[in-house]
Amino acid sequence: MRWITLTILLLPLLSFLLLIGGRKWRSRGLVAGIGVLTSYGAFHLSSYLLMNMIQKKTQVVISMPWLTLSDQVVHLGIKIGALQAVMLVLVSLVSCLVQIYSWGYMRDDERFPVFFAYLGLFTFSMLGLVSSANLLQIYIFWELVGLCSFLLIGYWYYKPEARDAAKKAFIVTRIGDVGFFIAILMIFWKIGSFELDAVSKAVSTGTISGVWVTWIAILILIGAIGKSGQFPLHTWLPDAMEGPTPVSALIHAATMVTAGIYLVAATFPVFLASSYALDIVSYIGGFTAIFAACIALVQTDIKRVLAYSTVSQLGYMMLALGSKGYVEGIFHLVTHGFFKALLFLAAGAVIVSLHHEQDLRKMGGLWKKNRGLAIWFLIGCFALVGLPPFSGFFSKDEILQTVYMDGRIGLFVLALITVFLTAFYVFRLYHLIFAGTSRTEQKNTPVPKVMMVPIAILGLLSTLAGFVQFPKAYFSSFLLQGSKLASLTSEAAPAWIGWVAVLFSLFGVGLATLLYWRGYQPAKPRVGLIGWAHRILEQKFYIDQLYHYVFALPLKGLGYFLIGWDRFVVGGLVRLVGLVPVGLSRIASMLQNGQTQTYALVSLIGFILLVIGVTVGRFFS
Amino acid sequence: METFLKFGYLLLPEAIIIGSIVLLMLLDLFIPAKRSRRFFGWLALLAGLGASVALIWVWIIWKTHLDGRPIQYFDSAYLFDAVSLILKLFILLSLIFVFLLSLGNKQNSTGNSYQAEYYYLMLVALLGAWVLVSSADLITLFVGLELLSLASYILVGIRKEDQNAVEAAWKYVVLGGVASAFILYGMSFLYGMTGNTNLMEIYNSLQLSVQPEAILYIYLSFFLMLFGFGFKISAAPFHTWVADVYQGTTSAMAAFLATITKVAIFGFIVRLLLLSYLPLFYRNNWNHYLEWALMGIAILSMIVGNVLALRQTEAKRLMAYSGIAQIGYILVPLTLITLTQGMLFFRVTFFYFFAYILMVAGAFAVISQVTAQAGTGEIRAFAGLYRRNPLLAFAMSIFLISLAGFPLTAGFIGKFFLLTNAFMTKKGILLGVVMILTTILSYFYYFRFVRQMYFRQPDQPERIAIPWTLRIAITISLVGTIALALLPQLLLQLLQSLGL
């Protein structure tokens, strides 16, 4: 089993190395073939591993010493438990499908091999992240995932928006990473180990005190917030839509954003030990869910609607985890992986057939022209909205039950409202694309067959994936095997929750259909409260602007201040004091432009301030 | 004298350097003035390589025959111990990088004049740096310091025809002189109050009893020296000279100042703190102030360096400011030395220094070639480097992300060690958090290079050629930067075997 696990990891890396070496290769079939085959190999072996674990209930553990710092040995290690096996399958499967799809989507791109090389590296990083046995190693892959997303979002670097979006994604997620890294250092300080096992053991035996557990949990959560695009660090995710659509699918379904959820799940014992941390996780999740859903209501870019929908659905997962719903969170992660990948790939097909038009206001009438695509898209929509028997219904229903049983009724109501909002924006999206008549003159381009295959596979999975938990909870029992985490979802959860959720979503679908089934209506002049609300939503609650004024400008100001201080304040002082020395010697005065004295004076002032600063207390105390 | 006769062979590397300096000077005298002196560079490089072989040989002898115990020469004025050995190695390695940079590109070193002087002054500076890290006496310390400083003043301004270089050299001389004066003044107080110039003797008298009225002067001496060192190592708020000097001088010389000078001065500070001033830190009432002074310098350096670098568009200026920040990082374990009981101090600091030398030398090697070809020192010289030489762009990216502390590079492991050290104490958390937060800022300005290299179209389409000496320097730094990240245990074990 160890060799199989290692091979799973190394296959995408091999693809990366081969393709980056062969970035001048002309044959697209060869390039895509390498990418698809290696990721399929990873998927095949991962499924084999998963099957094996289901039957034999074993774990794979590999570990070797890496470095010794004082007396603690830091290991490099792989540990595949149930959660990790599920993640391996999800990541490699989605990656494989996305690469098949990219064969068609990127066919006219000049740097075709580089694109596939990046995808390989991205897949490798994510697989490495989920199979790491210790936090330091997770952090290394965590940063690598961030780097790959930077490369891929900025893949079309000649577009200024893509460049900015890539930079934003990198920097904003780094703010979260700071939290995660501090958490790792604290864990090492308090426990003396990075191993996930050691951490959960230390928490369960109470080796570290409650305050520290809370702090560590919150800091880990900050990392997860950054990666998983939760409020208030969500701003990078919608901008990341500037990357090629297959990348969006990969980022949103299997890699990058799921890393945050995975991290919280992998360190779940820490969160369980602190009710305060669980509260924060739930509230951030619940708030992000409804917040992003609101913004999605008014977006006019097809991919941005889906992006905000991802933010919102990730909020659901956080909400589930915060309500102690370990299995529910992961279950939704998996089903969401399938249907969101489906929706993105289908959206990409829509974009291709409309000559790279992404504005919803210029679409419409695609139902008549591409029936097949419309049906697959519809399946994705049903799954996202959560209508039975599509997979989203089961996972979302379980989340709602968990939240209800956990007793935070306020959040439960928010989650229900979000169900309605989700249904509304999803079907607004659907009708704007497919209903009515076309609002552009151009003819449609046919969608390449190779792009439809992954869409169909994901469509089937989105439909059927829910049945791993129904009628019997196979998924839960597998995920919880050999673990102490208990699922709170029990038969005791009232059945009406499911019905109400379906009712809410049907209501949303109905309302959206009523408003948009004829396609896009040109905006009426909006006044009063509605217009005001619309504007706020359109501007995404002004979060970006807020960051600009609160963080970026003061920092710039500090820079100006420091330079100005050197140049003018101190310089002015010197000119005042230094009128006499200047001109003493001709040679000296030729070179003495006053600045050097300035420098000496700055240092002297610094010195005096330092002496005064650190000693003055002594004379007054 | 007795130890010198007995263990004098351990000073063979020093002897080789001194011999080479004399030899090169004589050679310069006897060769007709018209002959090119380009081969002096090769001779100097040869001397450096010879000294490194000697250093390693001495190391092995010392380890096997003398069980690695410290040897003291000349009434314990000059030491041979693990710290001096490893710092000498670092300094020599840096010098070899600087030689490779100078040989690769004439524009980097002197133009055509003063080739001979350039190279043997480098060796003189190396000797000064070595004396600096091996001394345990105020007088030898000062001699070493001035040997290093005076040689660097000349080297900064050796291109007399370049107005910028002259101005930089002039500033460096004046301000360096001020700093030296402060150090000397501080030393005089220390001597006056304890009656000793030997660091270990000073330690003893500080630990036993100092008159209450004398203690104030001891502290004054500490702060005066802190000023001088802060200046020489370019820590904030004594940093103001550094950007102008780096910008004015050549890339090779900037690399020299960024590596050799900083390593040597840092070794000096460590010696002085650990061998002499340590008892002060354990004296109640006052220890806070000393700790806060050091912490203040570290924190200020991190913030000021990173914030000022944000606004730079000139490559060497940017590196100068980022160097201030790097010094702030390196000072972190030192400021916490009493809180951590010195645990891991040498290991984490030296690990970071080694990584620092590799990435800084590599970055300057790339900068020197790219800016020389573009004829401008601005960052836009890097425009489209990916198109003009993909491997060079890749190497530069690795050096930059290593400086920023991104995983899979030596800089990450180094920073990680510094941070684990900081996080061993409660006070250190403050420093650690400042360090992590300011590191984010550094991504912005390192990103500026990346954006030019990958996202911009080149001004000139033709490929950038790299001389083979530079290619060697870049390859060594690149391989080292990555290898140190994958196998950090190698260096850790080495340090451990030295008892550090």
Side-chain angles (χ1 to χ4, degrees), chain A residues 68-353:
Chain A
T68 6
L69 201 67
S70 61
D71 32 352
Q72 287 114 351
V73 183
V74 179
H75 287 88
L76 279 186
I78 291 177
K79 179 167 175 278
I80 311 288
L83 169 65
Q84 286 77 11
V86 171
M87 290 300 289
L88 283 182
V89 173
L90 176 69
V91 173
S92 53
L93 172 63
V94 173
S95 163
C96 177
L97 294 174
V98 163
Q99 296 199 35
I100 297 174
Y101 180 87
S102 304
W103 196 340
Y105 192 86
M106 304 298 287
R107 66 202 149 160
D108 299 326
D109 196 87
E110 268 178 34
R111 291 153 68 222
F112 194 75
V114 176
F115 184 76
F116 276 83
Y118 289 169
L119 288 184
L121 187 62
F122 208 174
T123 313
F124 164 71
S125 314
M126 193 63 197
L127 291 176
L129 194 154
V130 297
S131 55
S132 296
N134 68 61
L135 285 166
L136 186 64
Q137 207 178 324
I138 290 184
Y139 181 79
I140 291 174
F141 283 111
W142 178 273
E143 293 285 28
L144 261 185
V145 169
L147 180 72
C148 295
S149 70
F150 167 77
L151 291 173
L152 282 167
I153 294 168
Y155 181 74
W156 285 324
Y157 57 83
Y158 38 82
K159 291 200 310 191
E161 301 86 22
R163 283 205 299 258
D164 293 343
K167 187 175 166 187
K168 190 171 176 184
F170 193 64
I171 303 273
V172 172
T173 54
R174 279 211 59 82
I175 295 171
D177 300 349
V178 168
F180 181 28
F181 198 54
I182 295 177
I184 293 176
L185 290 167
M186 278 192 174
I187 286 173
F188 190 63
W189 178 31
K190 288 286 162 193
I191 301 176
S193 170
F194 296 111
E195 304 294 313
L196 285 172
D197 288 348
V199 173
S200 55
K201 202 181 199 177
V203 170
S204 64
T205 56
T207 322
I208 42 177
S209 63
V211 186
W212 285 108
V213 173
T214 305
W215 269 109
I216 289 171
I218 290 173
L219 287 165
I220 292 178
L221 179 67
I222 292 177
I225 285 174
K227 271 287 191 268
S228 288
Q230 297 293 286
F231 181 84
L233 296 179
H234 62 280
T235 54
W236 67 271
L237 194 50
D239 285 13
M241 292 299 105
E242 296 298 338
T245 307
V247 175
S248 309
L250 196 56
I251 287 181
H252 284 246
T255 57
M256 191 79 182
V257 298
T258 53
I261 307 292
Y262 169 78
L263 182 68
V264 174
T267 55
F268 207 54
V270 181
F271 286 88
L272 280 182
S274 162
S275 63
Y276 189 58
L278 281 178
D279 275 343
I280 297 181
V281 176
S282 325
Y283 282 107
I284 284 187
F287 178 72
T288 308
I290 193 161
F291 170 83
C294 286
I295 297 178
L297 292 176
V298 299
Q299 293 300 310
T300 52
D301 183 306
I302 174 171
K303 282 171 74 183
R304 274 177 191 261
V305 176
L306 291 176
Y308 279 107
S309 137
T310 305
V311 176
S312 167
Q313 297 299 311
L314 290 166
Y316 268 122
M317 294 173 212
M318 281 288 180
L319 179 58
L321 290 172
S323 313
K324 299 185 198 154
Y326 176 73
V327 176
E328 291 72 16
I330 301 300
F331 184 37
H332 197 55
L333 176 71
V334 174
T335 57
H336 174 260
F338 293 143
F339 62 70
K340 191 48 70 68
L342 166 64
L343 281 172
F344 264 112
L345 295 188
V350 169
I351 293 168
V352 164
S353 74

Side-chain angles (χ1 to χ4, degrees), chain A residues 366-407:
Chain A
L366 214 60
W367 173 265
K368 289 173 207 135
K369 295 183 179 147
N370 198 336
R371 191 66 50 90
L373 185 60
I375 289 171
W376 292 121
F377 204 106
L378 191 62
I379 287 175
C381 289
F382 279 142
L384 174 55
V385 166
L387 289 176
F390 298 96
S391 58
F393 166 72
F394 298 98
S395 53
K396 207 175 272 183
D397 180 42
E398 287 202 356
I399 290 178
L400 290 171
Q401 288 182 13
T402 317
V403 177
Y404 182 78
M405 294 308 289
D406 200 49

Side-chain angles (χ1 to χ4, degrees), chain A residues 66-68 143 150 157 163 167 174 178 181-182 189 194 555 560 596 599-600 603-604 607 614 618, chain B residues 170-171 223 227 244 286 289 311 387 406-407 416 419 423-424 436 440-441 443 447 455 485-486 488-489:
Chain A
W66 185 37
L67 54 93
T68 6
E143 293 285 28
F150 167 77
Y157 57 83
R163 283 205 299 258
K167 187 175 166 187
R174 279 211 59 82
V178 168
F181 198 54
I182 295 177
W189 178 31
F194 296 111
L555 206 60
Y560 278 117
T596 314
Y599 297 159
S603 304
L604 189 64
F607 167 68
V614 298
R618 178 164 170 86
Chain B
W170 190 81
K171 278 176 184 161
F223 282 114
F227 173 91
D244 286 1
W286 277 89
Y289 303 123
R311 308 199 10 84
R387 236 56 67 76
F406 193 82
F416 168 69
L419 283 166
F423 270 73
M424 279 159 72
I436 300 178
I440 297 191
L441 289 184
Y443 278 92
F447 190 83
F455 296 168
L486 298 178
Q489 190 64 17

Side-chain angles (χ1 to χ4, degrees), chain A residues 34 37 45 237 242 291 323 380 389 429 440 465 478 486 499 528 543 592:
Chain A
I34 289 175
L37 279 180
L45 293 173
L237 194 50
E242 296 298 338
F291 170 83
S323 313
L429 173 78
T440 49
F478 171 67
W499 292 108
I543 299 284
Q592 257 172 354

